[in-house]
Every structure is written in C-alpha cells, then in structure tokens.
C-alpha cells in the first residue's frame, strides 16, 4: 500500500486537546509519524491539507443500523451498534456476525442485548457475548421496566467490567406517547408523556448502579432535569456518563408543527429550556458523547400520520456538520467537539482510536470546517434520508477519510 | 392551512380577498374570525332550506363527493351524506370496515387511489391526529376534515357556534364551559380555537387526569371543580366519556365520574338562568349527563345541534367547491 503524506494540516488530538499545525505520514496502515516538515517517502501520495483539520476518525457511540455509506460520508470509522437488530443481539453468534458487517470500511462495535430478546426479563449471555466482541451491554430502545432485573443486570455487568447503556425513559409513563407533554402536543392532539419520564428513569438507574457499583451510560439525555441528575451524580463520584444527539441540542418540540414525521424521535423532542440545558451539559462535559442515533427509515415507515410513523432519524452523514454548528455557535471548542465524537466514547468503552498516536491504526479524518452545504433529505448518503434537519444550511465537509490507511474519501 | 400563533391582534380583513380563501378546511386553528363568521353566515340559508318540504338545491350537481371515514362514525357520516345530497352532489361513502387499509394498503396509497377517481371534494375522518392534512397534500381537490384523532373536528365547532349564535344572538362575551374528557377530545380543541377567536370566555372543566397540559395556551381557563367551572355559564358543552377510559386509570368508575362531573339539574343551577346545554353526541345518559337535563327542551340544544350540523356542512361543501365550479 502506498504511504500517504498529509501536508499542512491542523492536527487535533481530541484525547489531549492539543492542536498543532503540521504534517502526518501514514504507512503500513498506521500513523507512522507526525510533526513539522516531514519528508515524503518515495512513491508516497501527497495530500495538501491547506490548514484543514486532521483528526482521528469519528466514533459514533449510538447507531441502530449498520449503514456503511452514511458512516463513511460522515467521517465515521467506528460505530457502537445498538442491540435492537432483527433478531436482537442476544446471542454470541449474532454479536460476532454484527461485528463483521461493516468491514473493511467500518468497524462495528456491537452492544450486547441486556436481556433475551430485549424483553427486559431474563439476562442474556453477557459473558459469552463479551468474548464474541460486545463492547458493552445495552437495554436498547427501551428501558428495563423491572427494577429487580435492572439491579441484577448492573451487578452482573459490573462483574464482567461491561458498561451498561440504558435508555432513559420510564416505559410506563411513555407508553403510547409520541411527544413531550406541553403546549405543542396539546395543540396537535398528540399523545404525550411528561419530560419527567426521563428524570424518573435516570434517578432509578443511577440509584441501582450506585448500589451495584456498576458503570452506567445513558445513551441519550434530552431534558434539563436529566442533565442535572447526571451532573450531580458525576460530582459525587458515580461512574456515570451520558450521550445526546444533535437534535436535542438544536431542535425543540416546535419542529413537530405540521406533523413532520421526520421529527418523530425517541426520546421525543423537548422544550426550549431542555434544549438549552442539553447545550449547557455538552459545554461543561456532563454529556460526554455526541451520537447520531442513526436510524434510517423507509418511506413506508415515515410517510404516515405522525403518531403512526416509526420514531428515529438518519444521523451519521450529518453528525459532524451539525456538531460543528455547536463550534460555530461558540458553545464548544473544536477539540471539545472532536472529543465528544471520538476520544470520549473510545475511553469509556475501551476502544482503540480517538487519539493521534504513532503506531495507531490510520483511522483518520480530514475536514474543512467552513465550507457551506445544505442538508437535503432526498440526497443524503446511506440507506435513507429521514432527517429532521432537511433544508438546514450547515458548514463542514469531509475531505479525506482513511480507514486502516485505506482511502475511503 | 396552518398559521402559527392564535389570533393575530391587528390583522383586518382584505376586502378584495375571497371571504374564505383556503383550499381545504383542516381545522379551526389559524382561521380569522371573519372567515369563521363567513361559514356561519352561509349556513343560515341552509337551516331555512332544510325546514322546507323540498330541501334540494342543485348547485353541486355533477360533482363527486367522497366521504372517506377511516374511523367508525354514524352521525357525522350521515350528516355529510345528507348535506352533499341536498346540494345535488354524487355522494359515495368509504367506510373503514370495507377499506383496503385493513388489507395493508398505506394511507397515502389509499389517498392516491381516491384522488385518481377524480372527486371534487373529499371528506375525511381518521383516528390519527394530522392524518387528514397528510392526505390533503396528496390530492387535487378540497379536503374537509371530519375529525382527525384528538386534533380537530372543525365542522362540529362550526355547528356548535351556529347553534349558540341562533339561540343567544351572539358568541362574543358569552361564558362557555366545556366539560368532560378534554384530553382526548378533538371537539374541545376545535371549540377552544373557534370560541376564543369569536370573543367568548371559554372554560375547560375536567378531572386533572383528563385535562390536557397547557390548555390555557389554547385560550381556555382550566377548572377541575365542576361547580366552580359552571358558575355563571351561558353555555355548557358536555363531552362524551369514552367508557374504555376506565382501563387507562383516568377515572375510577362511571358512577364516581357522574357524581363529580355529570351534568344534573342541581349542578346546572350554578350556571346562568338561560343556560344552553349542548352535547356533540352520542350521549352516555347517566355518565356525563342526566336524562332530565338532556331532554329539557327549554335548555337542551342537543337535537338542534344535529340539525345545524347538516346546514354547516352544506355551507362548507358549497364554499370549498366554489373555485372549481367557477364561482371563486
């Protein structure tokens, strides 16, 4: 394989927060060297970066589908796959198969189903699935309703050193609901659940995790109260982390007006105050992962009355550009954003990547953070274009993507 | 046609514009007061026409009206059918039980199929909020919302308003108490929008479990005590309590509900002396309303509402099809 020399880039290492102008040499599928004025080996491919940002490939800590085209377009080289597959990832063979699905262009890191069939009753074979490649264990699209099962899951997973990824919505309060209780849901006549359904579940799971001494990760926090509960738990030393998706930092329940089923998400979009709190949580580090929750849906699943449409949005291809809008807004520094998008998930789930290190696999992303484009649902790379951001002007494009030294873009 | 916000404070009618400029009637929210009044004024003539022996008017002759009811209905479907037939339209009904929706066809495919039959107006009822607006985007003719989920039921609000206006002579300044299962009621939502647009004082009276969040943002004042909510009311509008609500733990029993929120003669004493009692039907006698009140010809306007329903629907069908009849 030809070596690649990327010249005049802004090297950002999200693991340390360090930024430096320089060159980076890729050889033998790994980062051979970086620094100032690197000499180009004979027959090396030279890429002139013109000061664009060079960073580790993104690690998307929550996707619901393996969608290689969408991930590649979004600069993502690893994804954590939720166990809500068909069938659910509750068996070592299924985990092994899921892990192979994206190769060689995308590393899929499966999260094991916490319970058999994700039904929330019997524990799945977590130890065997860990051996098969599961990097954590997840409750999937729904929380585990039974506190006894949840406590045992947390204790068992703690023994295995697995992080438990929980869905933070009380399943009883949210049964049948498609929106957050409030003026908009009332006007639109949509069945709704109070925003407190999230806090209720977070409070319970936190209490149980502290009881069990387990590592807990909330896949998506979307309310002010939820962010505050996580913040306080972290302050008292609990082993808890949280993620969120761009939609909860950029949109609120007003996006439901006109019954736009692309804005039917799980958890549902919240109030403006919640949106502000999510942004504050991202800025102060309470929320340490920005994830796509990539969930491509077909026309048949989305071209329906709001309440009948399936929840979820395609997110891989727009994750970086939407994240960069938080940088352009002055909410996050560039290194902070890249940590949310790679270093933090890598550290939490013990994954390779998320850092610029000599000898590390060359999963690298070069992007320019300024070039403008418009999100177009009809023209989004990947399996489907169901994005609530259709028509939104954004900035930032992937210029080069290397996966194991192989050039994908 | 949805417009953000409620009533604009300083918008006045453009005298050049048609009185009702919208292609569809999907809801009351977003309509201007004069647009609502225009539909009510138009309906008056059909009340008179309906009382004559020969009720037929041929202005919709040759036009096809499809009543697509994806959710079961008896009285609303019948009312729209009679309204269309009195105007001379060729009326066909598509009832939920016989529709291919049950065979897995998507709602939009059904809409496109209906559209291909080149109807001149489609009346739609659907159990899902927003479904009627979704269909309206896909068809080439006016669409009339006959009820979508918990969202809106505009012709019900119009017929209620017509009933009130004829009995009371006005709507502005009246105190109207809407009582019962407001959470699940599209009738209540449409009435909040319409009555507040025309200047009535609207009260929402319900147990806390059946009161939607932020109901005051729709212009209504919330009361969880029936006696307080009825105090000085000029109109009391009762809503039907779906008997399956017991299952969702909304209320414990019909007996207890009737005790706290049933409309009885005693309870009605708190209201104004000439109080008008209304109900969109079908009534659960002894659950939300006592028979003695329902059948009180002095106060009850319940059968009159049914009569006004036909007139209002005739007006809506007429107004919405004017453009395609070349009378825009």
């Amino acid at each position: 394989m030809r070596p690649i020399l990327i010249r005049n880039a802004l090297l950002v290492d999200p693991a340390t927060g360090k930024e430096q102008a320089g060159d980076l040499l890729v050889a033998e599928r790994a980062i051979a060297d970086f620094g100032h004025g690197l000499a180009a080996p004979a027959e090396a491919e030279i890429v002139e970066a013109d000061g664009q940002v060079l960073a580790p490939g993104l690690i998307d800590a929550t996707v619901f589908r393996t969608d290689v085209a969408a991930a590649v377009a979004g600069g993502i080289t690893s994804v954590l796959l939720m166990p809500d597959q068909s069938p659910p990832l509750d068996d070592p063979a299924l985990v092994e198969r899921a892990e192979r699905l994206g190769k060689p262009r995308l590393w899929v890191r499966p999260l094991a189903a916490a319970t058999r069939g994700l039904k929330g009753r019997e524990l799945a074979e977590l130890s065997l699935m860990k051996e098969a490649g599961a990097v954590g264990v997840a409750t999937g699209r729904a929380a585990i309703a039974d506190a006894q099962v949840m406590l045992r899951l947390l204790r068992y997973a703690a023994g295995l050193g697995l992080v438990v990824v929980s869905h933070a919505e009380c399943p009883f309060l949210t049964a049948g609901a498609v929106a957050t209780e409030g003026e908009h849901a009332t006007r639109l006549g949509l069945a709704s659940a109070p925003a407190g359904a999230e806090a209720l579940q977070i409070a319970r799971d936190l209490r149980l995790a502290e009881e069990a001494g387990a590592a807990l990760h909330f896949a998506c926090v979307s309310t002010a109260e939820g962010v505050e509960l996580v913040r306080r738990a972290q302050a008292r030393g609990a082993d808890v982390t949280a993620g969120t998706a761009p939609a909860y930092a950029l949109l609120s329940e007003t996006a439901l007006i006109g019954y736009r089923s692309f804005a039917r998400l799980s958890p549902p979009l919240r109030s403006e105050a919640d949106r502000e709190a999510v942004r504050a949580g991202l800025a102060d580090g309470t929320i340490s992962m920005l994830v796509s929750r990539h969930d491509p849906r077909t026309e048949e699943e989305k071209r329906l009355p709001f309440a009948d449409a399936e929840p979820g949005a395609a997110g891989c291809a727009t994750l970086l550009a939407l994240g960069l809008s938080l940088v352009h807004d002055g909410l996050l520094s560039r290194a902070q954003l890249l940590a949310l998008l790679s270093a933090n998930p890598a550290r939490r789930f013990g994954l390779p990547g998320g850092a610029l290190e000599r000898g590390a696999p060359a999963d690298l992303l070069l992007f320019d953070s300024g070039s403008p484009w418009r999100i177009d649902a009809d023209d989004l790379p990947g399996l489907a274009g169901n994005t609530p951001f259709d028509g939104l002007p954004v900035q930032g494009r992937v210029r080069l993507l290397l996966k194991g030294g192989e050039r994908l873009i | 046609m949805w417009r953000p916000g409620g009533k604009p404070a300083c918008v006045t009618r453009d005298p050049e514009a048609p009185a009702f400029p919208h292609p569809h009637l999907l809801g009351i929210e977003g309509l201007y007061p004069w647009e609502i009044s225009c539909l009510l004024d138009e309906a008056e003539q059909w009340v008179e026409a309906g009382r004559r022996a020969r009720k037929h008017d041929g202005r919709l002759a040759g036009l096809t009206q499809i009543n697509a009811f994806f959710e079961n209905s008896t009285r609303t479907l019948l009312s729209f059918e009679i309204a269309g037939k009195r105007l001379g339209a060729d009326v066909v009904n598509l009832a939920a039980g016989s529709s291919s929706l049950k065979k897995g066809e998507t709602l939009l495919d059904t809409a496109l199929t209906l559209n291909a039959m080149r109807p001149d107006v489609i009346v739609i009822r659907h159990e899902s909020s927003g479904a009627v607006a979704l269909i309206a985007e896909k068809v080439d003719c006016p669409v009339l919302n006959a009820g979508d989920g918990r969202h809106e039921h505009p012709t019900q609000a119009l017929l209620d308003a017509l009933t009130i206006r004829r009995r009371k002579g006005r709507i502005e300044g009246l105190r109207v108490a809407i009582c019962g299962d407001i959470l699940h009621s599209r009738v209540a939502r449409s009435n909040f929008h319409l009555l507040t647009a025309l200047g009535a004082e609207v009260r929402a009276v319900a147990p806390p479990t059946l009161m939607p969040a932020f109901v005051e943002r729709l212009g209504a004042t919330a009361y969880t005590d029936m006696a307080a909510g009825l105090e000085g009311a000029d109109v009391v509008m009762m809503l039907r309590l779906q008997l399956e609500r017991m299952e969702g733990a909304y209320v414990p029993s019909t007996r207890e509900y009737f005790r706290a929120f049933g409309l009885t003669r005693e309870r009605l004493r708190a209201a104004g002396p000439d109080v008008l009692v209304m109900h969109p039907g079908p009534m659960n006698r002894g659950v939300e309303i006592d028979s003695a009140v329902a059948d009180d010809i002095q106060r009850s306007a319940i059968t009159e509402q049914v009569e006004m329903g036909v007139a209002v629907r005739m007006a809506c069908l007429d107004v919405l099809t004017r453009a395609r009849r070349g009378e825009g």
Side-chain angles (χ1 to χ4, degrees):
Chain A
M1 188 180 291
R2 278 176 77 186
I4 302 175
L5 179 67
I6 303 163
R7 276 210 293 235
N8 291 320
L10 180 66
L11 306 174
V12 180
D13 182 359
T16 60
K18 207 173 142 196
E19 300 194 0
Q20 56 173 335
D23 310 338
L24 185 143
L25 179 66
V26 173
E28 304 293 324
R29 297 185 169 274
I31 300 175
D33 197 7
F34 54 86
H36 279 288
L38 295 189
E43 93 272 351
E45 182 187 347
I46 311 277
V47 176
E48 293 294 344
D50 300 322
Q52 293 173 359
V53 178
L54 184 63
L58 304 186
I59 301 173
D60 184 346
T62 309
V63 302
F64 289 94
R65 282 281 288 280
T66 298
D67 186 347
V68 177
V72 167
I76 295 162
T77 49
S78 300
V79 294
L80 269 73
L81 179 66
M82 279 294 212
D84 311 74
Q85 307 300 307
S86 178
L89 305 182
D90 63 355
D91 181 276
L94 295 168
V95 168
E96 229 168 87
R97 180 174 165 275
E99 197 194 19
R100 285 198 305 267
L101 226 54
K103 284 180 176 171
R105 291 188 292 162
L106 179 67
W107 279 6
V108 177
R109 311 294 195 179
L111 292 167
T115 55
R116 282 181 204 277
L118 285 170
K119 291 194 165 76
R121 292 196 284 271
E122 307 155 78
L123 290 188
E125 295 169 325
L126 303 184
S127 178
L128 295 180
M129 287 193 280
K130 185 187 176 188
E131 278 174 35
V135 299
V137 47
T139 68
R141 290 183 192 277
I144 291 176
D146 186 326
Q148 181 69 279
V149 174
M150 188 63 183
L151 178 59
R152 289 186 178 144
L153 165 69
L154 287 159
R155 284 183 169 153
Y156 195 82
L160 296 172
L162 285 172
V163 177
V164 175
V165 179
S166 181
H167 180 81
E169 276 190 299
C170 170
F172 299 109
L173 280 179
T174 55
V178 300
T180 306
E181 197 169 276
E183 180 188 347
H184 291 281
T186 293
R187 269 184 199 281
L188 294 166
L190 295 173
S192 61
E198 178 176 290
L200 198 62
Q201 201 64 27
I202 288 180
R204 188 204 75 170
D205 285 358
L206 273 174
R207 184 66 191 78
L208 295 175
E210 289 176 81
E211 185 81 41
L216 180 61
H217 174 71
F218 292 108
C220 185
V221 173
S222 61
T223 65
E225 221 185 325
V227 174
E228 186 53 30
L229 281 170
V230 172
R231 185 179 285 127
R232 275 193 267 146
Q234 289 170 344
R236 67 175 178 263
D239 188 1
V240 59
T241 52
T244 197
Y248 305 99
L250 296 168
L251 300 176
S252 69
E253 57 201 351
T254 55
L256 272 57
I257 289 168
Y259 298 100
R260 298 197 313 148
S261 62
F262 281 5
R264 165 126 157 72
L265 305 179
S266 169
L269 289 170
R270 309 296 192 182
S271 70
E272 274 299 305
D274 289 320
R275 186 180 78 88
E276 288 297 335
V278 166
R279 292 168 76 92
L282 284 166
D284 72 10
T286 304
I287 300 173
S288 58
M289 301 179 207
L290 188 65
V291 305
S292 72
R293 296 184 72 77
H294 187 65
D295 202 358
R297 296 289 191 178
T298 61
E299 291 262 304
E300 291 70 41
E301 293 170 304
K302 278 291 187 187
R303 292 293 294 158
L304 289 169
F306 190 87
D308 304 334
E310 293 290 337
C316 280
T318 54
L319 180 62
L320 176 63
L322 293 170
L324 281 167
S325 76
L326 302 175
V327 175
H328 296 307
D329 287 354
L331 184 76
L332 304 173
S333 72
R334 191 162 36 207
Q336 247 182 318
L337 172 69
L338 291 169
L340 286 160
L341 291 171
S342 61
N344 296 348
R347 195 173 296 140
R348 181 58 163 164
F349 293 97
L351 309 176
L356 286 183
E357 286 168 340
R358 289 176 183 84
D363 291 358
L364 290 166
L365 163 70
L366 180 74
F367 66 93
D368 84 74
S369 49
S371 78
W373 58 288
R374 192 181 286 274
I375 295 174
D376 179 0
D378 294 329
D379 196 27
L380 211 57
L383 297 168
N386 51 302
T387 169
F389 296 101
D390 188 23
L392 185 77
V394 288
Q395 285 173 281
R397 272 188 189 281
V398 178
R399 293 301 178 193
L400 175 94
L401 185 67
L402 299 178
K403 175 78 193 119
E406 197 89 46
R407 193 163 173 178
L408 301 182
I409 291 181
Chain B
M1 174 128 349
W2 192 91
R3 275 195 239 100
K7 298 166 289 176
C10 53
V11 176
T12 50
R13 184 177 167 183
D14 173 6
E16 302 293 310
F20 193 83
H22 309 286
H24 310 294
L25 180 63
L26 302 179
I28 301 292
E29 185 173 19
L31 294 184
Y32 291 115
W34 58 83
E35 293 168 351
I36 296 167
S37 298
C38 149
L39 293 174
L40 298 179
D41 294 344
E42 288 282 345
E44 292 282 1
Q45 61 181 302
W46 302 119
V47 179
E48 303 315 317
R51 289 175 181 175
R52 292 196 290 266
R54 290 186 175 276
K55 302 173 176 60
H56 198 264
D57 178 288
R59 67 181 65 193
L60 262 59
L63 268 56
T64 303
Q65 171 188 340
I66 300 181
N67 297 327
F69 277 54
F70 299 101
E71 181 187 83
N72 285 327
S73 157
T74 310
R75 53 179 63 212
T76 307
L77 177 59
L78 193 59
S79 181
F80 270 109
E81 184 170 0
I82 290 172
K85 283 182 169 162
R86 284 191 185 163
L87 290 171
D90 299 316
V91 184
V92 278
N93 295 332
L94 170 78
S98 61
S99 85
S100 44
L101 270 190
K102 300 274 187 257
K103 298 171 198 147
E105 188 180 71
T106 68
L107 181 62
L108 285 181
D109 284 338
T110 307
L112 293 174
T113 304
L114 294 180
N115 191 50
M117 295 178 191
R118 302 201 172 272
D120 299 288
V121 59
I122 307 182
V123 180
I124 303 169
R125 168 169 288 193
H126 196 280
E127 64 199 351
S128 209
S129 300
V132 177
L134 186 66
I135 297 173
E137 284 174 24
K138 292 286 161 194
V139 300
D140 304 313
C141 69
V143 168
L144 235 156
N145 182 0
D148 63 324
R150 317 174 176 184
H151 177 225
E152 285 234 38
H153 190 358
T155 56
Q156 178 71 42
L158 288 164
L159 76 87
D160 289 338
L162 185 63
T163 308
I164 296 170
R165 204 174 73 166
R166 287 173 62 92
R167 280 280 194 115
K168 297 281 185 185
R170 66 192 165 105
I171 286 173
E172 191 171 356
L174 293 182
R175 178 176 288 174
V176 183
I178 303 179
C179 311
D181 183 358
I182 293 172
L183 180 66
H184 298 95
S185 176
R186 53 193 172 215
V187 175
R189 278 174 184 69
S190 286
N191 265 307
F192 291 151
H193 295 308
L194 189 151
L195 294 168
T196 54
L198 294 190
E201 179 203 333
V202 184
R203 294 176 165 188
V205 185
T209 47
L210 294 173
M211 183 80 80
F214 293 94
V215 72
E216 68 279 6
R217 301 290 275 273
L218 274 65
T221 313
Y223 287 84
T224 51
D225 178 79
M226 182 95 168
L230 293 193
E231 187 70 44
D234 300 295
V235 179
V236 176
M237 213 178 265
M238 299 306 296
L239 299 173
R240 177 181 166 78
L241 182 77
Q242 302 283 342
L243 296 178
E244 57 269 22
R245 296 291 169 238
M246 309 310 143
E247 286 169 25
Y250 292 100
V251 288
S253 70
T254 52
R255 180 169 76 167
E256 181 158 315
Y257 182 82
F258 185 69
R259 184 69 64 84
F261 291 93
L263 190 64
T264 59
R265 279 197 172 152
E266 295 70 46
R267 196 156 267 147
L268 209 48
R269 286 201 191 103
D274 304 319
V275 65
L276 192 64
V277 174
M278 302 172 71
H279 193 299
M283 283 183 284
N284 289 312
R285 288 169 185 263
V287 177
E288 70 261 356
I289 191 163
D290 189 50
S291 280
V293 178
D295 300 334
D296 180 343
I297 50 168
Q298 294 300 315
R299 290 164 164 174
S300 169
I302 295 169
T303 51
E304 204 172 316
Q305 285 173 274
V306 179
E307 183 188 4
M308 295 307 125
V310 176
V312 153
R313 285 164 184 137
M314 288 174 79
C316 293
L317 290 167
D318 173 28
V319 167
L320 287 176
T321 56
R322 270 179 199 168
R324 56 177 48 219
R325 294 184 347 243
E327 296 168 26

